């Protein structure tokens, strides 16, 4: 459903016939804000949560289970690295050479909350004619993953420079078709997440039965 060659995808929803438009990420992302430099000694047992690089994954939703904490004072000193619920974030660094999640785009979901981004994590603010769910889905496409693999630098701690990231090409349909595609993939992601939760609960139930039903 994403264009690999030319200006028209192979698989498409009915009632759409316009050619897609070629752009750079710089024409899609209005503002890219980077994270703050956080030393290990800056982390606390409680306080303001951070968005770790590990929060970036293929589900489209930030995984906050690995969040650490920093003080409110540290948070206030790094205003440009603030991010909040419903914002989009990505990571342009990875400690794994294969960088399986680098460059993927996720949304922060949950109750209203402010967070701090550490270095390597970036907040994305899009132009008005760009659908967020479409971009999230595109960041998980095979085409995009190949681009990230080709653009990454380094051998141990791999990274992509801001300019290289903003120079990535993307072929876009009109906004109404973006929304149709983005919503389609978001519904699939939501269904996958629901079934994963059910599977986790069943595994825990099985574990409990095994513990109590055998002497």
């Amino acid at each position: 459903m994403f264009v690999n060659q030319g200006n028209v995808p192979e698989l498409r929803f009915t009632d759409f016939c316009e050619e897609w438009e070629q752009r750079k990420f710089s024409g899609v992302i209005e503002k890219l804000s980077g994270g703050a430099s956080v030393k290990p000694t800056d982390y606390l047992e409680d306080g303001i949560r951070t968005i770790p690089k590990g929060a970036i994954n293929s589900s489209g939703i930030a995984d906050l289970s690995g969040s650490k904490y920093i003080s409110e004072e540290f948070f206030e000193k790094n205003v440009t690295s603030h991010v909040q619920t419903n914002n989009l974030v990505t990571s342009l660094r990875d400690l794994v050479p294969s960088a399986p999640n680098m460059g993927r785009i996720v949304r922060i979901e949950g109750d209203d909350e402010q967070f701090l981004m550490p270095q390597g994590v970036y907040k994305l603010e899009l132009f008005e004619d760009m659908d967020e769910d479409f971009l999230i889905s595109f960041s998980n496409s095979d085409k995009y993953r190949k681009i990230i693999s080709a653009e990454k630098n380094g051998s141990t701690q791999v990274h992509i420079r801001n300019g290289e990231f903003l120079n990535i090409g993307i072929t876009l349909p009109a906004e109404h078709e973006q929304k149709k595609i983005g919503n389609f993939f978001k519904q699939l992601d939501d269904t996958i997440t629901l079934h994963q939760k059910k599977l986790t609960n069943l595994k825990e139930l099985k574990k409990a039965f095994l513990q109590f039903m055998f002497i």
Side-chain angles (χ1 to χ4, degrees):
M1 298 183 78
F2 296 98
V3 173
N4 286 316
Q5 293 182 345
N7 294 319
V8 178
E10 294 182 17
L11 182 63
R12 201 171 193 184
F13 288 109
T14 56
D15 301 327
F16 296 107
C17 58
E18 300 98 334
E19 288 191 352
W20 290 25
E21 174 190 1
Q22 294 184 358
R23 288 195 210 173
K24 300 288 188 181
F25 265 11
S26 57
V28 166
I29 300 168
E30 185 172 15
K31 186 177 181 181
L32 186 68
S33 306
S37 177
V38 187
K39 301 188 298 293
T41 53
D42 292 323
Y43 290 114
L44 305 174
E45 292 296 321
D46 197 8
I48 306 293
R49 285 203 288 176
T50 62
I51 303 290
K53 289 189 284 293
I56 313 304
N57 59 80
S58 62
S59 73
I61 301 172
D63 179 2
L64 302 178
S65 60
S67 293
K68 296 180 179 180
Y69 300 90
I70 47 91
S71 68
E72 188 169 339
E73 181 183 7
F74 188 94
F75 179 75
E76 294 300 335
K77 285 182 178 178
N78 293 276
V79 177
T80 59
S81 298
H82 291 186
V83 69
Q84 63 188 28
T85 308
N86 293 323
N87 286 161
L88 300 184
V89 291
T90 188
S91 173
L92 300 184
R93 293 186 184 181
D94 204 318
L95 294 175
V96 180
S98 60
N101 289 316
M102 188 167 66
R104 295 187 196 271
I105 298 168
V106 297
R107 180 184 289 110
I108 302 170
E109 294 194 352
D111 296 332
D112 288 344
E113 186 176 353
Q114 287 192 313
F115 304 84
L116 182 90
M117 299 181 296
Q119 276 187 332
V121 179
Y122 290 80
K123 172 185 173 182
L124 285 69
E125 297 177 59
L126 310 184
F127 286 105
E128 289 185 359
D129 63 344
M130 185 68 218
D131 182 71
E132 292 184 353
D133 291 318
F134 180 91
L135 190 62
I136 289 172
S137 299
F138 175 74
S139 77
N140 291 311
S141 68
D142 287 342
K143 178 181 180 179
Y144 178 77
R145 300 313 306 160
K146 289 176 182 177
I147 293 172
I148 292 295
S149 181
E151 293 288 348
K152 66 185 180 183
N153 303 284
S155 56
T156 52
Q157 181 169 303
V158 293
H159 64 280
I160 294 179
R161 299 181 182 90
N162 294 16
E164 294 168 342
F165 179 70
L166 291 173
N167 197 48
I168 289 175
I170 180 172
T171 311
L172 296 172
E175 188 175 1
H176 60 297
E177 189 173 0
Q178 286 182 38
K179 290 183 181 297
K180 183 79 171 180
I181 295 170
N183 185 60
F184 171 75
F185 281 108
K186 187 177 188 305
Q187 287 180 340
L188 286 178
D189 285 335
D190 290 346
T191 302
I192 290 169
T193 300
L194 177 62
H195 284 286
Q196 284 176 336
K197 288 181 179 177
K198 288 182 178 178
L199 180 60
T200 299
N201 291 337
L202 287 172
K203 286 180 177 179
E204 290 299 318
L205 183 61
K206 177 185 175 182
K207 183 179 178 180
F209 281 140
L210 287 171
Q211 181 177 349
F212 290 109
M213 293 185 71
F214 294 94
I215 297 175

